[in-house]
Amino acid sequence: MRTLQRSLSMRNVRLFLIALALHGLSSAIYGLWLNLHLLDLGYPRGLMGALNALPSAIALGIGLPAGWWTDRIGRRPMLILGSLMMAIGTVGVGLGISPVWVGVGVGLIGAGYNLFFIAYAPFLAENASGAERTQLFALASAVLFWAGFVGEGIGSVLPDLFRAFSPLGPTIYAGPILFSALLDFLAALPLLGIREAPRRSQGNPTMGWPKQALWIPALPMAFPNLMLGIGAALSIPFLNVYFHERYRLDDSMLGVLFALTSAFTGLATLLAPRIARWIGRIATVALTQGLSIGFLVGMALTDQAALAALAMVLRGALMNMASPLYTEFCMEQVPAAGRAAVSGILNLTWEAGWMIGAALSGFLQQQYGLASMLLATAVFYGVGTLYQYLAFASRDRVEVAYAQRAVRQQVSC
């Protein structure tokens, strides 16, 4: 029975990683060209910022219900629904019929992304043994970044290809965005093959949740997500605009730069568990994120395109390489039956931060220039990173994080 269950879990993981890779390809292409697509449509920067904030606003409304329903109906249905919603929304954005329809599309993308990634962490936690879980979280993150590397490499040439052979939509970036929608549709196919054990009925799903036993550990863990979400949204969605306008990089060079960032981040992600064995997961998170802030400030202050590009690559790798360790740490602090609910709380605070940061970024760009958004990001990153270390490092002993016996006890809760 144990061998059969392990075989099923390995099959589920393989299918999920295929879907995740397709989403990584899609997200890389979509993220590379979305803001330039919006500017070519003639939208002002304020509206561009609002549209970047809209997915997070939608996620705030559905985050908690999505979490508790995922705990009750299973991870697979939410993963499939999220994939389809992202695909449909991306079609709306690519067609760009009007600001209203673009807004609807962006909202659907936000809702689908929220459903998919609320189910993401509990799914991984439940399909790996304690000894394998850290490696699986790191591998999944690496797959996402490597897919981003490929997607950004492909995306860098797509505008020219669609311009030459078959223009689609109202801008030269519409074709690549619609291609990313196709990848999201394809991502739903491997998810159909995932098999989950039937979930036991837990009565009325709206009664008794969220319980104090989940809120007490979740809220302190969620605060750094709020800070990091604000910081990330202030600048990360607009880095393509930053390099396009400040350093005059063309479309192909932008694609190469973002691809290199994803590639290095994917490699660095696999190193994070090894560092964590020496100093602990939370200490690793604090160390790598803290180092990334220095490169972020350097990227804002330098006038040299080459130095800014190097700083971006190193910043991206350092900032993201240890984030799976924090997610795994959070999942281990709560019972298995409440993991998706807590994942929903964590995602909710991230999305709240993203909504605030994306809306604020448009104002900063208009009033103080592009470099101001990077410096503001550094401040919020610093607050979130310092809090993570002070609040959780003492609770994350290396022997607890990696001893199989301890992990089995946590899983059996």
Side-chain angles (χ1 to χ4, degrees), residues 14-15 35 67 95 102 126 183 228 233 238 330 367 376 388 396:
R14 284 195 294 267
L15 291 171
N35 287 323
L95 293 178
V102 171
E126 292 166 6
L183 295 173
L228 297 175
F238 308 105
C330 293
Q367 297 297 318
Q388 282 176 321
D396 183 44

Side-chain angles (χ1 to χ4, degrees), residues 31 52 71 92 143 172 207 209 260 274 334 366 375 378 380 412:
N52 276 271
D71 277 330
V143 166
I172 62 170
M207 295 295 291
W209 194 92
L260 287 174
R274 298 187 179 186
V334 295
Q366 287 180 337
L375 297 174
F380 281 98
S412 64

Side-chain angles (χ1 to χ4, degrees), residues 17 40 62 146 232 267 269 331 367 372:
L17 291 178
D40 272 14
I62 68 170
W146 286 335
L267 291 172
T269 299
M331 290 296 99
Q367 297 297 318
S372 65

Side-chain angles (χ1 to χ4, degrees), residues 130-152:
E132 299 168 338
R133 189 173 294 133
T134 299
Q135 296 294 336
L136 179 57
F137 270 84
L139 176 60
S141 184
V143 166
L144 197 57
F145 283 112
W146 286 335
F149 163 69
V150 176
E152 284 149 354

Side-chain angles (χ1 to χ4, degrees), residues 154-371:
I154 295 172
S156 66
V157 301
L158 285 179
D160 289 337
L161 286 177
F162 278 100
R163 184 190 295 116
F165 295 103
S166 181
L168 294 175
T171 77
I172 62 170
Y173 306 111
I177 289 174
L178 292 171
F179 178 73
S180 73
L182 175 62
L183 295 173
D184 282 329
F185 278 116
L186 293 175
L189 297 180
L191 296 174
L192 293 172
I194 290 175
R195 294 292 176 262
E196 286 187 302
R199 307 187 79 82
R200 292 177 295 180
S201 174
Q202 302 188 29
N204 185 347
T206 64
M207 295 295 291
W209 194 92
K211 297 179 180 179
Q212 187 180 29
L214 293 179
W215 280 109
I216 289 175
L219 288 181
M221 293 187 297
F223 176 74
N225 273 23
L226 177 67
M227 294 293 101
L228 297 175
I230 294 173
L234 279 166
S235 61
I236 303 308
F238 308 105
L239 287 178
N240 52 358
V241 176
Y242 179 77
F243 279 93
H244 185 73
E245 294 189 354
R246 182 168 182 178
Y247 300 110
R248 304 299 177 186
L249 296 189
D250 59 25
D251 291 348
S252 61
M253 287 301 297
L254 279 175
V256 170
L257 176 58
F258 280 81
L260 287 174
T261 302
S262 294
F264 275 91
T265 304
L267 291 172
T269 299
L270 295 180
L271 296 176
R274 298 187 179 186
I275 301 173
R277 289 192 182 98
W278 299 335
I279 63 175
R281 290 171 295 187
I282 300 303
T284 302
V285 171
L287 174 64
T288 57
Q289 290 180 178
L291 290 173
S292 78
I293 294 171
F295 289 104
L296 181 65
V297 173
M299 186 167 63
L301 299 181
T302 183
D303 291 327
Q304 302 297 315
L307 290 178
L310 178 62
M312 176 180 163
V313 171
L314 295 175
R315 183 221 67 85
L318 288 166
M319 188 66 201
N320 294 290
M321 65 182 288
S323 59
L325 301 180
Y326 185 67
T327 302
E328 183 209 1
F329 171 82
C330 293
M331 290 296 99
E332 290 184 354
Q333 306 309 303
V334 295
R339 283 175 180 154
V342 172
S343 180
I345 296 171
L346 297 175
N347 195 65
L348 189 70
T349 50
W350 172 271
E351 296 293 352
W354 191 275
M355 180 182 67
I356 295 168
L360 180 60
S361 182
F363 169 78
L364 288 177
Q365 291 178 49
Q366 287 180 337
Q367 297 297 318
Y368 303 106
L370 291 169

